[in-house]
Amino acid sequence: TKGGTLTFLTEAEQFAHLDPQRNYTGEDLAFASGYLNRTLTQYTLSADNNEASQLVADLATDTGTTPDGGKTWEFTIKDGVKWEDGQAVTCEDVKYGVSRTFATDIITDGPSYAITMLDIAKDAEGASIYKGPYVEDAAGQAAYDAAVVCEGSKITFNLSGPVADFNYTVTL
C-alpha cells in the first residue's frame, strides 16, 4: 500500500543512528534497509540465514559490473524509483549520499569504506583531500568527481585498487 504511517515497537533503548551514512550496527542496518533506506545493492530480506546472505539489486538494475577486475565498478539506477515527494531518484542523489561519508567532522560513526577505497588523493597525514559536500574546496571536489562519475542513470566508482566485493560495500 502506498503511503501510511510506520509505527514500531522495540525493546532496545534506541537506535544508534538512522542516518544512512552513520548507521553501522547489524540490527539497525537490517531495520533501516527493510523500512527506510534504499541502497544500490541489498541482502535478501529473509529469516533464513543462507537466503539472507544473498546479494541482490536494490536501487541498481543488477549487482554491479566491473570491467577491470574490481578497480572500477558500474551500477545503473533503476527507472521508476522515487523519493517520497514523487521526484525520481537520480545518479546524482546516490553520488551525494556517498559524498556525505567524507564529512567526518559532521557525519560521525558509520562505515568509511568510500574514504578508504575511492581513488582520491590523500593529504600529508594520509586523510582524503576531499572533505565532503559541506566544504568549499575545488581540488577536493574535482578529486571526488573523478572518483564517482554519473552519466545519466549510470554511476561509476573508480577505486584506488581492485576490490572484488565492492558490490557488497554499496549495501552500506
Side-chain angles (χ1 to χ4, degrees):
T1 304
K2 199 173 194 177
T5 302
L6 173 65
T7 305
F8 59 93
L9 175 66
T10 179
E11 292 180 6
E13 283 186 37
Q14 66 184 28
F15 290 105
H17 302 291
L18 290 177
D19 180 328
Q21 268 33 60
R22 297 178 72 192
N23 194 352
Y24 199 43
T25 60
E27 289 179 0
D28 294 351
L29 280 168
F31 174 81
S33 66
Y35 295 100
L36 305 173
N37 305 354
R38 299 290 302 270
T39 53
L40 291 171
T41 61
Q42 192 56 260
Y43 293 101
T44 301
L45 295 175
S46 174
D48 179 292
N49 285 339
N50 290 328
E51 189 175 310
S53 66
Q54 300 301 310
L55 190 68
V56 296
D58 187 15
L59 280 177
T61 57
D62 58 32
T63 57
T65 58
T66 176
D68 57 5
K71 192 158 187 233
T72 304
W73 279 87
E74 300 170 344
F75 301 86
T76 301
I77 309 297
K78 289 179 182 173
D79 290 334
V81 180
K82 299 185 185 309
W83 292 101
E84 69 279 1
D85 65 0
Q87 296 293 313
V89 173
T90 67
C91 179
E92 292 293 336
D93 294 329
V94 175
K95 180 177 179 174
Y96 173 75
V98 174
S99 76
R100 293 180 65 243
T101 304
F102 289 81
T104 58
D105 58 330
I106 298 169
I107 309 294
T108 58
D109 299 329
S112 60
Y113 298 118
I115 298 169
T116 61
M117 293 177 179
L118 288 172
D119 190 14
I120 298 174
K122 307 284 189 240
D123 63 20
E125 288 80 40
S128 173
I129 65 165
Y130 180 60
K131 302 301 180 194
Y134 313 119
V135 175
E136 296 283 333
D137 174 30
Q141 187 65 53
Y144 180 73
D145 290 341
V148 182
V149 179
C150 284
E151 297 174 276
S153 61
K154 182 174 86 171
I155 188 165
T156 301
F157 296 94
N158 297 300
L159 309 180
S160 57
V163 181
D165 60 352
F166 185 76
N167 55 346
Y168 282 82
T169 302
V170 297
T171 63
L172 303 170

